[in-house]
Amino acid sequence: MTDDATGFPPGDGPSSGISVSLTAGTLQAIRERVGKRGMSAYLEKAAQRQIERDNLDELIADFDKTNGPADPEAVAAKRAKLTGGTGAGAAA
């Protein structure tokens, strides 16, 4: 199979058709949100978000390797400052 998307960052370049398999429940949930004609755009956005998360996870792992893990109390304090809450019960 030829890869026509080589050299493009996520979200750029020509569209290319592929075949994917999804569970029936996932497919139904997507169709309920966007209909049949919005499926490709929805999956494109979902893939881009996942790539962003993967990249962020890699950055955090590199930071932790260099500096050690972040102090949970400092993280909770920053989260509370950003959200205006106490940070209690917030998932890390």
Side-chain angles (χ1 to χ4, degrees), residues 20-44:
V20 298
S21 298
L22 302 171
T23 61
T26 300
L27 188 57
Q28 178 182 343
I30 295 170
R31 282 188 176 145
E32 287 172 358
R33 289 183 178 274
V34 300
K36 288 183 180 182
R37 300 203 44 90
M39 187 78 64
S40 291
Y42 187 88
L43 293 175
E44 171 72 20

Side-chain angles (χ1 to χ4, degrees), residues 4-17:
D4 294 335
T6 302
F8 294 102
D12 271 349
S15 294
S16 180

Side-chain angles (χ1 to χ4, degrees), residues 4 7-9 12 22-25 34 38 40-41 44 46-47 53-55 58-59 61 66 71 82 84 86 88-89:
D4 294 335
F8 294 102
D12 271 349
L22 302 171
T23 61
V34 300
S40 291
E44 171 72 20
R53 287 180 174 187
D54 293 345
N55 289 340
E58 291 170 8
L59 285 172
T66 302
D71 174 23
L82 289 170
T86 62

Side-chain angles (χ1 to χ4, degrees), residues 7 17-18 22 32 45 60 91:
I18 62 166
L22 302 171
E32 287 172 358
K45 291 265 188 201
I60 292 169

